[in-house]
Amino acid sequence: MSSPPRIALALGGGSARGLAHIPILEVFDELGVKPVAIAGTSIGAIIGGLYAAGLSASDIRTFAEELLSRRSEVFRRLAMSYGGLPSLWSVRRPNVVDGVTLFELLMPPQLRCDFSTLKIPFSAVAVDYYAMEEVVIEHGPVIPAIAASSALPTILKPVAIAGRILVDGGFTNPTPWDVVQERADITVAVDVTGQTDLGATDTMPNTIDAWIGCTQILFHAITREKMRKRAPDLFIRPAVGTYGTMDFTKIREIMGAAGPAKDELKRGLERLLG
């Protein structure tokens, strides 16, 4: 009797739009399918790391809804951890947050671990700022790795790991299916930068949305070129482009908008798994 196909999963970057990854993970739980490897960039690294640490999609949904549905909840949890606040940001640079400290204070305890103890092999993608090259992190503490992968300049501080200064992995590999493509028979890639057919609009973005939105344009361009070279077996792009990149409090709406993509993935996996 032949073994079932091995499935690798890549979760991309897209700020708040990346909350759409959660319904995607529910498909794996509903089908009883466990990925043999997960790669994540930025928010894809955060959610992929939680899943690799052993949290179910339902667990992640509950955690994220409790944390993000009300803006005040984040501040309440930070206030409860007063001892960590001095290292969260500097008076000289109050708009730039230390991501390692932030995640240490907010993430579930399961994520405060080493890569070697994860339930599923996991890769976090970041960029070496000075070498201008991709860095795939697969060893050491998990929280600094996901903080590095998520370190979008002007919002989160770069992270120093193994002598390298690392920033958001989306600048080289926004949806990193190529990192795990050789480890499985089927590769699923989830792009959460949003659809590109929204039509014309005269809404003027604010400064933060314009900056982060331009990174999404870059992410789209990189992904488009990667698709021409070697596409994953299933490429899923949830229709979350109407949501702002900082719309974290709209978590339920974003996850709801991912419903058709969830159904698309379920049909695709059922077809490929026979």
Side-chain angles (χ1 to χ4, degrees):
M1 183 176 179
S2 59
S3 300
R6 298 167 301 158
I7 300 176
L9 175 63
L11 303 179
S15 298
R17 296 169 181 171
L19 297 168
H21 286 313
I22 298 172
I24 295 299
L25 293 178
E26 291 173 347
V27 173
F28 287 85
D29 289 351
E30 291 167 7
L31 294 179
V33 175
K34 181 178 179 180
V36 298
I38 300 173
T41 294
S42 201
I43 192 168
I46 298 170
I47 294 176
L50 290 168
Y51 199 62
L55 278 76
S56 67
S58 177
D59 293 334
I60 298 171
R61 177 185 281 265
T62 298
F63 162 74
E65 286 182 341
E66 290 178 351
L67 178 66
L68 299 173
S69 293
R70 292 179 291 114
R71 195 179 304 273
S72 60
E73 179 62 18
V74 173
F75 294 104
R76 187 187 71 82
R77 296 195 185 195
L78 291 176
M80 291 172 61
S81 305
Y82 180 78
L85 294 183
S87 59
L88 187 60
W89 63 74
S90 165
V91 174
R92 290 180 299 176
R93 301 177 66 192
N95 294 326
V96 181
V97 175
D98 184 276
V100 176
T101 301
L102 181 68
F103 294 149
E104 287 282 1
L105 295 177
L106 295 181
M107 288 293 112
Q110 294 92 328
L111 208 57
R112 300 186 191 104
C113 65
D114 194 274
F115 277 82
S116 62
T117 65
L118 293 172
K119 308 299 183 184
I120 301 172
F122 172 62
S123 306
V125 177
V127 175
D128 185 318
Y129 176 79
Y130 290 105
M132 295 186 288
E133 64 183 13
E134 176 180 305
V135 176
V136 178
I137 310 170
E138 298 176 329
H139 304 283
V142 173
I143 283 185
I146 65 171
S149 182
S150 309
L152 192 63
T154 75
I155 296 177
L156 295 178
K157 288 173 57 177
V159 178
I161 296 179
R164 292 184 170 213
I165 304 301
L166 305 178
V167 297
D168 194 297
F171 290 108
T172 58
N173 203 345
T175 307
W177 69 82
D178 52 309
V179 172
V180 290
Q181 205 159 24
E182 300 300 332
R183 306 182 197 180
D185 306 302
I186 298 169
T187 305
V188 177
V190 186
D191 179 295
V192 290
T193 54
Q195 67 275 39
T196 57
D197 57 348
L198 297 176
T201 176
D202 58 2
T203 301
M204 188 68 67
N206 62 39
T207 301
I208 292 295
D209 275 343
W211 155 237
I212 300 179
C214 285
T215 69
Q216 307 304 297
I217 295 171
L218 172 64
F219 290 4
H220 264 291
I222 295 172
T223 300
R224 186 165 53 245
E225 292 305 311
K226 285 181 58 186
M227 290 286 285
R228 291 172 178 169
K229 183 177 180 181
R230 185 181 177 186
D233 298 284
L234 288 173
F235 182 80
I236 306 296
R237 178 174 278 164
V240 291
T242 57
Y243 295 96
T245 50
M246 300 304 289
D247 280 343
F248 287 98
T249 57
K250 296 182 179 179
I251 175 172
R252 292 187 175 94
E253 296 173 41
I254 292 171
M255 291 193 296
K262 175 181 177 179
D263 294 339
E264 177 189 355
L265 174 60
K266 194 168 189 178
R267 291 192 300 269
L269 282 177
E270 288 174 337
R271 172 176 52 83
L272 291 173
L273 294 173

